Amino acid sequence: MTEQTQVLDAVIVGGGLVGGLTALLLAQDGVQTTVLDAAPILDTEKTLSVANPRVLALSQATIHLLKTVAVWEKLARQQPYTGMQVWNKNGYGEINFGQPSKKTPKVEQALGSMVEPSILNLAIQQKMLQELKDYRTQVKVSRVERGVGVWIVHLADGTQLKTRLLIGADGANSFVREQAFIDIDVLDYKQAGISCAIKTAQPHQHVARQIFLETGPLAYLPMASLKAEEQGHWQSIVWTLPDDYAEEYAALSDQEFIQLLTRESHHMLGEVLEASPRATFPLKARAAQQYVQDGLALIGDAAHVIHPLAGQGVNIGCLDAAVLCDVLLHDKTRGVWAHEQTLQRYEHLRKGQNDAMMHSMSAIGWMETTQLFPVVWARNLGLKQVEQLPVLKDAFMAQANGLGLLKDTRYAV
């Protein structure tokens, strides 16, 4: 057993986007953290040569934070989108944000950008290897316990680390959350998502599209292509379905699935020509009953998982990272570190907003799939009102880009 006698300022369990962003934001202001990452060092050539079938829709706030820590410039590929189109198959309302674009826009002129998780993880990891003094990969945490004024992190190789602040950024099934005995509220939607990459006959023109079907929303998300001649014709889809439908559709042959997708999407980009292997994942909302304890904070999916309806999960996780770093660094200038009131301030600033986002996504999902006439009528009216009133559309866009939520932090634009 190796016991590290030095008490560390912070240990972050989880080296993905949110954990890595937190470590890099703190390092930028002179606070070195120990990052414990279960993943291995990624092979650059292998990662870049394979197109990930899923993409993350990054908001302008997330893009700004990635630029702040010089990760954005390391991304090998990304796909800016300039428009969003949302409509219901059985309704008359439709909302359009932004405009289509035949040419690839600069990201500053876009609503946001679609990035493959593998490409993002590679860039984050490369930057951590450059900037962090203690970034450990392929690490398994076996136990976490509260000591006197510290948290003790036990690793599978027998190493013990002591830290004044333990940050759980280890995903929806957070081991840190479990070891801290923090309960979660779970909302099982009885749904699953099917995700894959598809090639369409018509180009996406940098527009993200979502159609609400009787079974649930189907999203077409523009993604970068590995082949220049196919640029603009590849999308990542996320199709939300009841569990039994998802199981049935996942079992279809490629050709059967392509034909079904073409028909159910109402040929919104013409024929679906190709599809990559499908992945299926269960959909459950999760909310930690508390984000903090004395000397401990949860961020990202460890604290909350929301419905993928609006693609905001990754973005609210990055806002967690920004707000936590801001309050920690604010207190550091006063000679305080990870004080209980500081962590409670982080929870106060983030938990209410995240819970509201989770419940609103659940409500929208129900409204868009129900066939109750009063709800259908109100839904269609609401879509028309938002489409016709610029002030409402601007309010929606301001919420989606997330920049307003950074305005009271050191990362304000």
Side-chain angles (χ1 to χ4, degrees):
M1 179 183 296
T2 304
E3 181 174 346
Q4 188 166 315
T5 56
Q6 175 192 5
V7 178
L8 304 167
D9 282 334
V11 170
I12 301 174
V13 179
L17 170 59
V18 177
L21 176 61
T22 303
L24 292 170
L25 287 172
L26 290 174
Q28 196 171 58
D29 275 82
V31 178
Q32 281 288 332
T33 62
T34 293
V35 175
L36 306 177
D37 193 350
I41 297 292
L42 296 172
D43 183 297
T44 301
E45 185 176 345
K46 183 178 179 181
T47 302
L48 297 183
S49 66
V50 178
N52 196 302
R54 289 186 59 205
V55 293
L56 300 174
L58 303 188
S59 68
Q60 282 293 350
T62 296
I63 292 169
H64 170 68
L65 291 169
L66 292 174
K67 287 181 176 180
T68 299
V69 294
V71 166
W72 187 256
E73 63 199 44
K74 287 184 171 293
L75 292 178
R77 57 180 178 263
Q78 46 91 15
Q79 182 67 77
Y81 63 98
T82 58
M84 290 191 295
Q85 182 184 20
V86 181
W87 73 102
N88 192 287
K89 177 183 176 182
N90 293 328
Y92 302 99
E94 180 178 313
I95 306 178
N96 291 277
F97 299 99
Q99 298 290 335
S101 175
K102 292 183 179 180
K103 295 183 179 179
T104 301
K106 294 181 179 179
V107 74
E108 295 81 9
Q109 300 168 336
L111 300 179
S113 188
M114 304 292 178
V115 183
E116 298 158 57
S118 56
I119 299 299
L120 192 51
N121 289 338
L122 177 64
I124 285 275
Q125 189 177 79
Q126 289 174 338
K127 194 62 180 177
M128 285 196 288
L129 288 168
Q130 289 177 357
E131 301 296 331
L132 304 186
K133 296 177 181 177
D134 193 11
Y135 170 46
R136 310 184 191 189
T137 58
Q138 293 182 286
V139 174
K140 179 175 175 56
V141 177
S142 60
R143 186 157 58 97
V144 171
E145 61 181 330
R146 184 63 176 155
V148 180
V150 297
W151 282 89
I152 304 169
V153 182
H154 299 261
L155 306 184
D157 65 3
T159 303
Q160 289 184 17
L161 304 176
K162 294 181 180 179
T163 181
R164 295 182 183 86
L165 174 62
L166 178 62
I167 300 175
D170 50 340
N173 299 313
S174 172
F175 185 68
V176 171
R177 184 187 65 220
E178 177 187 308
Q179 292 281 288
F181 299 102
I182 295 176
D183 291 331
I184 58 171
D185 297 318
V186 179
L187 175 58
D188 188 345
Y189 294 112
K190 307 297 183 184
Q191 295 175 324
I194 291 182
S195 180
C196 67
I198 63 169
K199 180 183 176 184
T200 55
Q202 297 172 15
H204 53 61
Q205 294 190 320
H206 305 94
V207 174
R209 296 169 173 85
Q210 186 160 255
I211 179 173
F212 285 91
L213 307 170
E214 293 95 334
T215 50
L218 167 62
Y220 273 31
L221 309 175
M223 64 185 298
S225 173
L226 293 179
K227 300 177 181 178
E229 65 272 16
E230 295 180 349
Q231 200 64 257
H233 288 266
W234 279 92
Q235 344 270 324
S236 172
I237 72 158
V238 179
W239 195 351
T240 301
L241 294 158
D243 286 333
D244 53 348
Y245 277 79
E247 185 177 348
E248 178 187 343
Y249 292 0
L252 294 174
S253 69
D254 288 347
Q255 194 56 41
E256 289 172 331
F257 182 75
I258 285 173
Q259 291 173 354
L260 174 69
L261 186 58
T262 299
R263 183 173 68 250
E264 289 297 300
S265 69
H266 285 220
H267 292 75
M268 61 175 151
L269 287 175
E271 296 289 327
V272 177
L273 305 175
E274 296 180 37
S276 70
R278 282 152 271 157
T280 306
F281 49 95
L283 295 179
K284 296 180 181 180
R286 308 182 192 204
Q289 293 183 359
Q290 59 192 99
Y291 284 12
V292 301
Q293 288 183 1
D294 187 16
L296 179 144
L298 301 177
I299 57 177
D301 285 357
H304 47 75
V305 176
I306 69 170
H307 197 289
L309 183 63
Q312 288 298 306
V314 65
N315 296 310
I316 63 176
C318 290
L319 289 170
D320 291 347
V323 171
L324 178 61
C325 291
D326 184 64
V327 297
L328 288 171
L329 293 170
H330 179 266
D331 274 11
K332 181 175 177 288
T333 61
R334 303 187 298 121
V336 180
W337 180 250
H339 190 276
E340 183 180 0
Q341 290 181 347
T342 303
L343 298 181
Q344 287 175 349
R345 174 167 169 74
Y346 155 70
E347 180 179 81
H348 173 73
L349 289 170
R350 295 301 301 146
K351 192 173 190 305
Q353 289 182 346
N354 293 342
D355 286 350
M357 175 71 78
M358 181 184 76
H359 292 305
S360 64
M361 290 302 102
S362 299
I364 291 172
W366 175 77
M367 286 186 67
E368 290 293 348
T369 54
T370 183
Q371 301 304 308
L372 293 173
F373 176 75
V375 179
V376 173
W377 178 82
R379 180 185 69 207
N380 292 338
L381 180 63
L383 287 172
K384 289 180 181 178
Q385 290 294 321
V386 173
E387 177 65 15
Q388 293 170 5
L389 294 175
V391 65
L392 288 179
K393 292 179 73 171
D394 290 346
F396 272 99
M397 290 309 303
Q399 180 68 28
N401 71 33
L403 293 173
L405 298 174
L406 292 176
K407 65 181 177 63
D408 294 325
T409 74
R410 68 194 57 227
Y411 309 114
V413 178

